[in-house]
Amino acid sequence: MTIQQLIETKLTAALSPTLLEVINESHMHRVEPGSESHFKVVIVSEQFAGQRLLSRHRQVNAILADELAGAVHALALHTYTASEWQEKGKAPRTPACVGNPSHS
């Protein structure tokens, strides 16, 4: 199982999201081709209702603690309830990595 698949599996089991996008953005950084070290997660779950942003991120980080302690170097989190997602419609675009000349 890839790290991306593991992240998807863990978040699905723990948060029952109505929308989950796990995007491997490693290619945007100075890493070996095929790396799984930088991810963007867009997740919509009613379990976030009533929680502040920091609490939501802590919850996701706790679910993925093993991955964050190992292979995952960076995790961009975009956490929403269904109503927030309806209002927003999309997650912010990821900026180019300063250290990667091919994405400057």
Side-chain angles (χ1 to χ4, degrees):
M1 181 179 294
T2 67
I3 293 180
Q4 183 171 350
Q5 291 169 328
L6 186 58
I7 291 170
E8 291 168 350
T9 299
K10 284 185 161 189
L11 292 177
T12 297
L15 298 173
S16 303
T18 55
L19 173 85
L20 176 62
E21 295 178 8
V22 178
I23 303 154
N24 184 350
E25 296 185 330
S26 301
H27 67 280
M28 297 170 62
H29 302 273
R30 296 181 77 163
V31 297
E32 294 294 321
S35 292
E36 287 190 292
S37 58
H38 295 71
F39 290 91
K40 175 180 182 175
V41 172
V42 180
I43 184 167
V44 178
S45 174
E46 283 311 307
Q47 291 193 37
F48 295 140
Q51 291 186 28
R52 293 178 185 247
L53 186 61
L54 183 58
S55 178
R56 296 173 186 192
H57 287 203
R58 285 181 176 154
Q59 184 177 9
V60 171
N61 287 340
I63 294 164
L64 302 176
D66 290 341
E67 291 71 29
L68 291 168
V72 176
H73 173 73
L75 186 65
L77 297 176
H78 304 281
T79 56
Y80 306 96
T81 63
S83 61
E84 291 167 343
W85 182 249
Q86 272 188 320
E87 184 178 311
K88 196 110 172 145
K90 64 179 181 177
R93 187 173 162 258
T94 303
C97 178
V98 175
N100 188 345
S102 67
H103 288 90
S104 297

XYZ file of all heavy atoms in Angstrom:
800
model
N 0.848 -1.175 0.000
C 0.000 0.000 0.000
C 0.895 1.241 0.000
O 1.844 1.315 0.783
C -0.903 -0.024 1.247
C -1.839 1.154 1.334
S -2.947 1.159 2.784
C -3.974 -0.254 2.484
N 0.584 2.193 -0.851
C 1.376 3.426 -0.897
C 1.038 4.296 0.319
O 0.006 4.099 0.971
C 1.083 4.223 -2.171
O -0.265 4.700 -2.126
C 1.328 3.405 -3.428
N 1.878 5.265 0.586
C 1.614 6.182 1.690
C 0.332 6.964 1.409
O -0.482 7.182 2.308
C 2.821 7.108 1.930
C 3.977 6.255 2.428
C 2.472 8.220 2.904
C 5.244 6.962 2.730
N 0.132 7.360 0.164
C -1.089 8.080 -0.199
C -2.321 7.227 0.104
O -3.289 7.713 0.691
C -1.058 8.453 -1.677
C -2.271 9.258 -2.107
C -2.142 9.804 -3.517
O -1.085 9.753 -4.127
N -3.224 10.325 -4.032
N -2.288 5.964 -0.252
C -3.410 5.067 0.021
C -3.611 4.881 1.526
O -4.744 4.825 2.009
C -3.188 3.711 -0.639
C -3.271 3.744 -2.144
C -2.780 2.455 -2.786
O -1.883 1.776 -2.264
N -3.369 2.114 -3.926
N -2.515 4.797 2.274
C -2.592 4.645 3.720
C -3.244 5.870 4.359
O -4.103 5.747 5.235
C -1.187 4.418 4.292
C -1.082 4.096 5.772
C -1.880 2.843 6.113
C 0.379 3.905 6.148
N -2.861 7.056 3.902
C -3.464 8.294 4.403
C -4.965 8.293 4.112
O -5.785 8.593 4.985
C -2.770 9.529 3.782
C -1.345 9.663 4.328
C -3.581 10.800 4.052
C -0.489 10.699 3.608
N -5.328 7.945 2.884
C -6.742 7.900 2.499
C -7.515 6.917 3.372
O -8.614 7.222 3.853
C -6.876 7.517 1.031
C -6.397 8.584 0.080
C -6.254 8.114 -1.358
O -6.351 6.890 -1.634
O -6.028 8.980 -2.226
N -6.957 5.741 3.583
C -7.618 4.706 4.380
C -7.826 5.156 5.819
O -8.917 5.020 6.383
C -6.797 3.400 4.338
O -6.717 2.958 2.977
C -7.414 2.316 5.195
N -6.780 5.709 6.428
C -6.870 6.135 7.829
C -7.866 7.277 8.022
O -8.665 7.269 8.956
C -5.495 6.557 8.347
C -4.579 5.408 8.642
C -3.293 5.910 9.266
C -2.564 4.808 9.974
N -1.424 5.326 10.757
N -7.826 8.272 7.138
C -8.730 9.408 7.275
C -10.178 9.005 7.006
O -11.091 9.480 7.683
C -8.304 10.548 6.354
C -6.983 11.225 6.729
C -6.620 12.295 5.714
C -7.048 11.815 8.133
N -10.384 8.112 6.054
C -11.737 7.633 5.763
C -12.303 6.881 6.967
O -13.448 7.110 7.375
C -11.746 6.736 4.515
O -11.322 7.534 3.395
C -13.132 6.163 4.243
N -11.510 6.013 7.549
C -11.969 5.224 8.701
C -12.253 6.102 9.916
O -13.231 5.882 10.634
C -10.920 4.171 9.050
N -11.434 7.100 10.149
C -11.562 7.910 11.362
C -12.575 9.049 11.241
O -13.208 9.407 12.241
C -10.196 8.488 11.737
N -12.733 9.615 10.041
C -13.526 10.838 9.924
C -14.751 10.728 9.012
O -15.505 11.691 8.900
C -12.627 11.986 9.437
C -11.487 12.347 10.385
C -10.555 13.361 9.738
C -12.042 12.896 11.696
N -14.955 9.602 8.373
C -16.098 9.397 7.477
C -16.362 10.620 6.597
O -17.449 11.191 6.617
C -17.351 9.069 8.291
O -17.150 7.948 9.101
N -15.371 11.032 5.816
C -15.545 12.262 5.028
C -16.540 12.104 3.887
O -16.698 11.013 3.340
C -14.139 12.514 4.477
C -13.498 11.174 4.430
C -14.074 10.403 5.583
N -17.182 13.221 3.548
C -18.041 13.243 2.365
C -17.212 13.606 1.137
O -17.628 13.355 0.013
C -19.201 14.241 2.532
O -18.667 15.527 2.842
C -20.139 13.790 3.631
N -16.048 14.193 1.370
C -15.086 14.484 0.304
C -13.692 14.308 0.884
O -13.411 14.783 1.991
C -15.241 15.922 -0.210
C -14.158 16.341 -1.215
C -14.563 15.907 -2.611
C -13.913 17.827 -1.178
N -12.850 13.605 0.157
C -11.457 13.430 0.572
C -10.581 13.426 -0.665
O -10.779 12.615 -1.568
C -11.265 12.122 1.347
C -9.824 11.787 1.748
C -9.247 12.848 2.686
C -9.751 10.410 2.381
N -9.651 14.354 -0.695
C -8.641 14.391 -1.748
C -7.280 14.358 -1.065
O -6.982 15.215 -0.234
C -8.753 15.669 -2.582
C -10.023 15.785 -3.372
C -10.102 17.100 -4.139
O -9.105 17.854 -4.180
O -11.175 17.374 -4.684
N -6.501 13.381 -1.396
C -5.123 13.286 -0.905
C -4.239 13.396 -2.136
O -4.249 12.504 -2.989
C -4.868 11.971 -0.138
C -3.423 11.890 0.318
C -5.821 11.847 1.047
N -3.525 14.498 -2.227
C -2.751 14.808 -3.425
C -1.271 14.764 -3.094
O -0.804 15.490 -2.207
C -3.144 16.200 -3.965
C -4.656 16.229 -4.239
C -2.346 16.548 -5.214
C -5.264 17.599 -4.176
N -0.553 13.919 -3.797
C 0.888 13.830 -3.612
C 1.544 15.004 -4.344
O 1.533 15.062 -5.569
C 1.409 12.498 -4.152
C 2.891 12.305 -3.913
O 3.608 13.219 -3.507
N 3.362 11.098 -4.163
N 2.085 15.940 -3.593
C 2.732 17.116 -4.166
C 4.258 17.041 -4.084
O 4.946 18.044 -4.249
C 2.226 18.387 -3.485
C 0.759 18.631 -3.703
C 0.264 19.940 -3.141
O 0.815 20.419 -2.131
O -0.686 20.486 -3.715
N 4.765 15.852 -3.863
C 6.213 15.670 -3.715
C 6.975 16.148 -4.941
O 8.076 16.701 -4.821
C 6.533 14.202 -3.436
O 5.880 13.771 -2.260
N 6.396 15.969 -6.126
C 7.066 16.372 -7.370
C 7.340 17.881 -7.417
O 8.162 18.336 -8.198
C 6.215 15.961 -8.576
C 4.921 16.705 -8.665
N 3.824 16.357 -7.905
C 4.563 17.784 -9.384
C 2.838 17.210 -8.171
N 3.262 18.081 -9.068
N 6.670 18.645 -6.569
C 6.847 20.098 -6.540
C 8.025 20.519 -5.651
O 8.282 21.700 -5.475
C 5.563 20.768 -6.026
C 4.367 20.546 -6.921
S 2.798 21.070 -6.188
C 3.077 22.823 -5.963
N 8.710 19.551 -5.081
C 9.788 19.818 -4.137
C 11.067 19.116 -4.573
O 11.063 18.300 -5.482
C 9.356 19.367 -2.741
C 8.104 20.038 -2.280
N 8.110 21.251 -1.645
C 6.796 19.694 -2.408
C 6.871 21.615 -1.385
N 6.049 20.685 -1.838
N 12.129 19.428 -3.893
C 13.431 18.838 -4.240
C 13.567 17.467 -3.575
O 14.220 17.320 -2.547
C 14.550 19.768 -3.791
C 14.518 21.094 -4.540
C 15.625 21.973 -4.094
N 16.851 21.480 -4.726
C 17.948 22.188 -4.822
N 18.020 23.393 -4.316
N 19.010 21.683 -5.415
N 12.907 16.494 -4.194
C 12.956 15.115 -3.704
C 13.173 14.186 -4.893
O 13.043 14.592 -6.043
C 11.658 14.732 -2.946
C 11.488 15.585 -1.698
C 10.445 14.843 -3.839
N 13.473 12.957 -4.599
C 13.663 11.953 -5.646
C 12.354 11.709 -6.389
O 11.277 11.735 -5.787
C 14.137 10.636 -5.022
C 15.509 10.706 -4.388
C 16.616 10.948 -5.392
O 16.558 10.373 -6.497
O 17.532 11.732 -5.075
N 12.426 11.454 -7.683
C 11.213 11.109 -8.443
C 10.502 9.911 -7.793
O 11.139 8.965 -7.336
C 11.746 10.743 -9.825
C 13.050 11.483 -9.935
C 13.609 11.486 -8.537
N 9.186 9.982 -7.736
C 8.395 8.905 -7.133
C 8.254 8.997 -5.630
O 7.650 8.114 -5.012
N 8.789 10.050 -5.026
C 8.709 10.210 -3.570
C 7.275 10.422 -3.109
O 6.435 10.920 -3.857
C 9.547 11.406 -3.115
O 10.909 11.161 -3.299
N 7.029 10.041 -1.876
C 5.749 10.284 -1.213
C 6.056 10.966 0.117
O 5.981 10.364 1.173
C 4.994 8.981 -0.981
C 4.403 8.390 -2.229
C 3.469 7.256 -1.902
O 3.962 6.209 -1.430
O 2.254 7.412 -2.087
N 6.402 12.237 0.040
C 6.826 12.949 1.244
C 6.054 14.235 1.504
O 6.046 14.734 2.620
C 8.319 13.278 1.147
O 8.573 14.058 -0.012
N 5.402 14.781 0.493
C 4.672 16.045 0.612
C 3.245 15.831 0.098
O 3.056 15.464 -1.062
C 5.338 17.138 -0.223
C 6.700 17.517 0.241
N 7.797 16.689 0.100
C 7.148 18.643 0.835
C 8.858 17.305 0.594
N 8.496 18.487 1.047
N 2.260 16.090 0.961
C 0.874 15.856 0.585
C -0.013 17.049 0.901
O 0.240 17.788 1.846
C 0.301 14.630 1.320
C 0.880 13.334 0.858
C 1.995 12.795 1.476
C 0.315 12.652 -0.207
C 2.554 11.606 1.040
C 0.864 11.452 -0.648
C 1.984 10.928 -0.024
N -1.047 17.180 0.097
C -2.119 18.145 0.344
C -3.373 17.323 0.593
O -3.703 16.432 -0.203
C -2.303 19.045 -0.870
C -3.469 20.008 -0.766
C -3.541 20.847 -2.042
C -4.642 21.862 -2.013
N -4.589 22.727 -3.220
N -4.053 17.609 1.698
C -5.273 16.895 2.041
C -6.427 17.892 2.084
O -6.360 18.892 2.805
C -5.146 16.177 3.401
C -6.484 15.596 3.839
C -4.087 15.086 3.348
N -7.451 17.613 1.302
C -8.696 18.369 1.347
C -9.728 17.395 1.880
O -9.962 16.338 1.280
C -9.106 18.882 -0.050
C -10.414 19.664 0.031
C -7.993 19.718 -0.668
N -10.330 17.733 3.021
C -11.263 16.806 3.646
C -12.482 17.557 4.171
O -12.355 18.607 4.794
C -10.569 15.991 4.768
C -11.514 14.951 5.364
C -9.960 16.892 5.822
C -10.828 13.917 6.241
N -13.648 16.999 3.860
C -14.917 17.546 4.321
C -15.552 16.489 5.220
O -15.790 15.358 4.782
C -15.853 17.866 3.135
C -17.194 18.382 3.635
C -15.189 18.863 2.190
N -15.777 16.857 6.479
C -16.353 15.915 7.434
C -17.200 16.669 8.451
O -16.788 17.716 8.953
C -15.244 15.146 8.166
O -15.792 14.345 9.191
N -18.339 16.116 8.771
C -19.186 16.736 9.794
C -18.577 16.584 11.186
O -19.001 17.246 12.120
C -20.601 16.165 9.739
C -21.409 16.736 8.588
C -21.357 18.256 8.478
O -21.637 18.965 9.466
O -21.012 18.756 7.387
N -17.567 15.733 11.322
C -16.884 15.611 12.610
C -16.115 16.883 12.959
O -15.709 17.064 14.098
C -15.963 14.394 12.614
C -16.757 13.097 12.584
C -15.891 11.905 12.896
O -14.990 11.977 13.722
N -16.167 10.796 12.239
N -15.937 17.774 11.984
C -15.258 19.042 12.245
C -16.214 20.123 12.763
O -15.769 21.199 13.145
C -14.567 19.552 10.972
C -13.450 18.675 10.486
C -13.297 18.445 9.127
C -12.554 18.084 11.354
C -12.259 17.651 8.649
C -11.522 17.277 10.894
C -11.374 17.064 9.537
N -17.503 19.843 12.764
C -18.487 20.834 13.208
C -18.188 21.273 14.638
O -17.932 20.451 15.518
C -19.892 20.262 13.117
N -18.179 22.576 14.843
C -17.934 23.126 16.170
C -16.474 23.184 16.582
O -16.156 23.638 17.676
N -15.583 22.720 15.723
C -14.147 22.732 16.042
C -13.459 23.901 15.356
O -13.768 24.228 14.215
C -13.463 21.453 15.547
C -13.828 20.203 16.274
C -12.982 19.042 15.780
O -11.859 19.210 15.321
N -13.531 17.844 15.868
N -12.519 24.493 16.054
C -11.674 25.512 15.432
C -10.668 24.831 14.515
O -10.417 23.633 14.622
C -10.942 26.313 16.502
C -11.867 27.156 17.343
C -11.066 27.886 18.402
N -11.949 28.605 19.283
C -12.007 29.920 19.348
N -11.218 30.659 18.599
N -12.833 30.499 20.185
N -10.076 25.620 13.642
C -9.133 25.099 12.656
C -7.983 24.333 13.311
O -7.625 23.233 12.878
C -8.592 26.249 11.803
C -7.694 25.869 10.637
C -8.431 24.999 9.642
C -7.169 27.122 9.957
N -7.407 24.884 14.362
C -6.284 24.228 15.032
C -6.682 22.860 15.577
O -5.928 21.889 15.460
C -5.727 25.115 16.146
C -4.502 24.590 16.875
C -3.355 24.341 15.905
C -4.081 25.574 17.962
N -7.869 22.766 16.124
C -8.354 21.484 16.647
C -8.525 20.457 15.537
O -8.187 19.278 15.697
C -9.675 21.702 17.382
O -10.188 20.486 17.845
N -9.030 20.897 14.404
C -9.194 20.000 13.256
C -7.841 19.478 12.787
O -7.682 18.281 12.534
C -9.866 20.738 12.100
C -11.266 21.191 12.379
C -11.789 22.053 11.260
N -13.086 22.615 11.580
C -13.864 23.219 10.707
N -13.484 23.343 9.448
N -15.030 23.707 11.085
N -6.885 20.377 12.689
C -5.551 19.973 12.235
C -4.900 19.030 13.239
O -4.249 18.052 12.845
C -4.682 21.206 11.988
C -5.085 21.944 10.755
N -4.237 22.773 10.074
C -6.263 21.978 10.061
C -4.860 23.284 9.022
N -6.084 22.814 9.013
N -5.066 19.302 14.512
C -4.523 18.389 15.529
C -5.145 17.011 15.416
O -4.465 15.997 15.579
C -4.756 18.963 16.922
C -3.830 20.090 17.266
C -4.071 20.603 18.661
N -3.108 21.632 19.018
C -3.314 22.582 19.894
N -4.462 22.645 20.549
N -2.387 23.474 20.150
N -6.441 16.966 15.144
C -7.128 15.684 14.995
C -6.560 14.897 13.814
O -6.261 13.711 13.929
C -8.631 15.927 14.815
C -9.455 14.670 14.757
C -10.946 14.949 14.658
O -11.386 16.068 14.478
N -11.734 13.898 14.787
N -6.397 15.551 12.673
C -5.843 14.879 11.494
C -4.390 14.464 11.763
O -3.989 13.338 11.434
C -5.945 15.771 10.245
C -5.185 15.165 9.074
C -7.409 16.002 9.870
N -3.610 15.344 12.372
C -2.217 15.015 12.687
C -2.126 13.816 13.621
O -1.229 12.981 13.476
C -1.496 16.220 13.284
C -1.189 17.282 12.258
O -1.159 17.029 11.065
N -0.966 18.496 12.734
N -3.039 13.705 14.570
C -3.038 12.554 15.483
C -3.351 11.263 14.727
O -2.730 10.224 14.969
C -4.050 12.768 16.609
N -4.286 11.330 13.793
C -4.648 10.155 12.994
C -3.453 9.691 12.155
O -3.229 8.493 11.974
C -5.865 10.460 12.097
C -7.105 10.705 12.963
C -6.111 9.346 11.083
C -8.253 11.372 12.231
N -2.682 10.654 11.664
C -1.544 10.349 10.784
C -0.198 10.454 11.493
O 0.831 10.651 10.847
C -1.579 11.286 9.567
C -2.855 11.227 8.730
C -2.810 12.267 7.616
C -3.068 9.835 8.165
N -0.190 10.299 12.806
C 1.033 10.470 13.602
C 2.181 9.579 13.121
O 3.328 10.040 13.036
C 0.741 10.207 15.082
N 1.901 8.341 12.803
C 2.970 7.427 12.364
C 3.586 7.887 11.046
O 4.810 7.865 10.883
C 2.440 6.000 12.206
C 2.096 5.348 13.532
O 2.590 5.819 14.587
O 1.315 4.378 13.526
N 2.746 8.331 10.123
C 3.241 8.788 8.827
C 4.045 10.086 8.975
O 5.079 10.263 8.331
C 2.069 8.994 7.858
C 1.399 7.705 7.430
C 0.577 7.028 8.534
O 0.055 7.722 9.436
O 0.475 5.796 8.488
N 3.575 10.978 9.841
C 4.275 12.242 10.067
C 5.600 12.033 10.805
O 6.518 12.835 10.660
C 3.381 13.220 10.831
C 2.184 13.738 10.026
C 1.193 14.454 10.938
C 2.649 14.642 8.901
N 5.688 10.977 11.565
C 6.934 10.659 12.262
C 7.918 9.939 11.349
O 9.082 9.761 11.696
C 6.643 9.792 13.491
N 7.445 9.541 10.173
C 8.289 8.788 9.253
C 8.441 9.452 7.907
O 9.059 10.507 7.785
N 7.797 8.887 6.911
C 8.025 9.265 5.517
C 7.439 10.618 5.110
O 7.940 11.251 4.189
C 7.455 8.183 4.598
N 6.381 11.062 5.779
C 5.719 12.302 5.367
C 6.433 13.499 5.985
O 6.486 13.648 7.202
C 4.224 12.302 5.742
C 3.572 13.636 5.390
C 3.507 11.152 5.028
N 6.964 14.334 5.116
C 7.719 15.521 5.541
C 6.816 16.738 5.692
O 7.030 17.581 6.558
C 8.828 15.807 4.520
C 9.557 17.074 4.759
N 10.459 17.235 5.784
C 9.501 18.265 4.117
C 10.944 18.466 5.748
N 10.376 19.111 4.749
N 5.800 16.850 4.830
C 4.917 18.016 4.846
C 3.487 17.584 4.537
O 3.250 16.727 3.689
C 5.386 19.039 3.822
N 2.554 18.212 5.256
C 1.149 17.886 5.093
C 0.351 19.186 5.132
O 0.242 19.824 6.181
C 0.692 16.949 6.217
C -0.701 16.380 6.156
C -0.853 15.464 4.945
C -1.004 15.595 7.427
N -0.156 19.604 3.979
C -0.999 20.796 3.900
C -2.434 20.348 4.128
O -2.948 19.492 3.403
C -0.853 21.450 2.538
N -3.081 20.916 5.138
C -4.427 20.497 5.500
C -5.452 21.573 5.176
O -5.263 22.744 5.514
C -4.497 20.178 6.998
C -3.621 19.024 7.469
C -3.708 18.891 8.982
C -4.034 17.736 6.790
N -6.543 21.134 4.565
C -7.675 21.993 4.266
C -8.906 21.237 4.753
O -9.351 20.290 4.097
C -7.747 22.303 2.767
C -6.480 22.921 2.267
N -6.178 24.250 2.459
C -5.412 22.370 1.644
C -4.988 24.509 1.934
N -4.501 23.383 1.438
N -9.398 21.610 5.928
C -10.445 20.874 6.626
C -11.728 21.694 6.669
O -11.709 22.860 7.061
C -9.991 20.541 8.057
O -9.628 21.758 8.725
C -8.787 19.597 8.049
N -12.841 21.075 6.277
C -14.108 21.783 6.167
C -15.277 20.924 6.653
O -15.225 19.698 6.571
C -14.407 22.143 4.704
C -13.320 22.901 4.009
C -12.378 22.243 3.212
C -13.211 24.279 4.136
C -11.374 22.944 2.566
C -12.206 24.989 3.496
C -11.291 24.314 2.708
O -10.289 25.008 2.069
N -16.336 21.601 7.082
C -17.628 20.938 7.234
C -18.313 21.035 5.869
O -17.863 21.778 4.991
C -18.500 21.634 8.293
O -18.771 22.964 7.859
C -17.830 21.632 9.667
N -19.428 20.341 5.698
C -20.131 20.367 4.414
C -20.586 21.783 4.060
O -20.452 22.217 2.909
C -21.320 19.407 4.439
N -21.101 22.521 5.022
C -21.572 23.882 4.731
C -20.413 24.815 4.398
O -20.534 25.672 3.517
C -22.403 24.443 5.887
O -21.647 24.510 7.076
N -19.282 24.652 5.069
C -18.098 25.460 4.745
C -17.608 25.161 3.328
O -17.229 26.063 2.592
C -16.970 25.189 5.748
C -17.250 25.712 7.129
C -16.276 25.176 8.170
O -15.585 24.165 7.918
O -16.220 25.772 9.263
N -17.642 23.890 2.972
C -17.189 23.485 1.639
C -18.116 24.035 0.566
O -17.670 24.492 -0.480
C -17.074 21.971 1.545
C -16.572 21.515 0.218
C -17.276 20.835 -0.736
C -15.272 21.707 -0.330
N -16.486 20.589 -1.827
C -15.238 21.117 -1.608
C -14.105 22.315 0.139
C -14.120 21.117 -2.419
C -12.980 22.317 -0.669
C -12.991 21.730 -1.925
N -19.415 23.996 0.822
C -20.380 24.551 -0.138
C -20.109 26.035 -0.366
O -20.171 26.515 -1.483
C -21.806 24.381 0.367
C -22.429 23.074 -0.023
C -23.894 23.048 0.340
O -24.314 23.524 1.392
N -24.695 22.463 -0.529
N -19.801 26.737 0.705
C -19.528 28.167 0.616
C -18.205 28.444 -0.102
O -18.095 29.337 -0.926
C -19.488 28.758 2.027
C -19.310 30.249 2.077
C -19.323 30.749 3.510
O -20.234 30.376 4.270
O -18.400 31.511 3.855
N -17.190 27.646 0.213
C -15.843 27.852 -0.319
C -15.712 27.307 -1.753
O -15.174 27.970 -2.621
C -14.837 27.149 0.594
C -13.438 27.563 0.399
C -13.017 28.356 1.601
C -11.556 28.640 1.532
N -11.221 29.914 2.081
N -16.131 26.056 -1.945
C -16.122 25.456 -3.268
C -14.821 24.831 -3.720
O -14.815 23.946 -4.556
N -13.697 25.294 -3.180
C -12.414 24.690 -3.547
C -11.363 25.072 -2.516
O -11.497 26.062 -1.806
C -11.971 25.124 -4.937
C -11.685 26.603 -5.071
C -11.223 26.933 -6.485
C -10.929 28.426 -6.579
N -10.427 28.802 -7.881
N -10.336 24.263 -2.475
C -9.229 24.519 -1.553
C -8.245 25.487 -2.209
O -8.181 25.571 -3.442
C -8.527 23.208 -1.204
N -7.471 26.195 -1.399
C -6.472 27.100 -1.973
C -5.447 26.349 -2.814
O -5.149 25.180 -2.555
C -5.791 27.713 -0.752
C -6.660 27.411 0.403
C -7.465 26.208 0.043
N -4.941 27.031 -3.806
C -3.897 26.477 -4.661
C -2.595 26.421 -3.868
O -2.293 27.318 -3.082
C -3.729 27.392 -5.879
C -2.817 26.856 -6.918
C -2.853 27.745 -8.172
N -1.682 27.462 -8.958
C -0.601 28.233 -9.001
N -0.562 29.358 -8.332
N 0.429 27.887 -9.730
N -1.822 25.394 -4.084
C -0.541 25.250 -3.407
C 0.501 26.128 -4.089
O 0.669 26.041 -5.305
C -0.070 23.784 -3.428
O -1.086 22.979 -2.817
C 1.240 23.612 -2.686
N 1.189 26.977 -3.319
C 2.233 27.809 -3.929
C 3.438 26.961 -4.336
O 3.653 25.871 -3.792
C 2.606 28.794 -2.822
C 2.184 28.133 -1.557
C 1.037 27.215 -1.891
N 4.192 27.474 -5.272
C 5.407 26.776 -5.712
C 6.423 26.736 -4.589
O 6.507 27.652 -3.778
C 5.996 27.481 -6.928
N 7.182 25.675 -4.545
C 8.245 25.527 -3.555
C 9.412 26.436 -3.920
O 9.902 26.402 -5.054
C 8.692 24.071 -3.501
S 10.047 23.768 -2.352
N 9.861 27.233 -2.978
C 10.959 28.169 -3.220
C 12.247 27.428 -3.597
O 13.001 27.876 -4.431
C 11.196 29.051 -1.974
C 12.393 29.946 -2.150
C 9.950 29.872 -1.681
N 12.456 26.270 -3.015
C 13.692 25.535 -3.253
C 13.697 24.703 -4.508
O 14.679 24.022 -4.801
N 12.627 24.718 -5.295
C 12.582 23.902 -6.498
C 12.574 24.811 -7.718
O 11.548 25.402 -8.054
C 11.329 23.009 -6.488
C 11.312 22.005 -7.618
O 12.075 22.118 -8.571
N 10.462 21.025 -7.520
N 13.688 24.916 -8.406
C 13.772 25.831 -9.537
C 12.816 25.499 -10.677
O 12.438 26.366 -11.428
C 15.219 25.709 -10.002
C 15.765 24.475 -9.367
C 14.916 24.181 -8.173
N 12.379 24.280 -10.790
C 11.460 23.920 -11.870
C 10.042 24.416 -11.602
O 9.198 24.367 -12.472
C 11.442 22.412 -12.093
O 10.889 21.749 -10.978
N 9.765 24.876 -10.380
C 8.438 25.377 -10.029
C 8.494 26.817 -9.525
O 7.695 27.234 -8.727
C 7.784 24.472 -8.979
C 7.366 23.170 -9.556
N 8.203 22.095 -9.582
C 6.226 22.778 -10.155
C 7.581 21.083 -10.159
N 6.386 21.477 -10.509
N 9.462 27.572 -9.979
C 9.569 28.969 -9.547
C 8.818 29.898 -10.463
O 8.558 29.634 -11.566
C 11.038 29.384 -9.520
O 11.719 28.609 -8.579
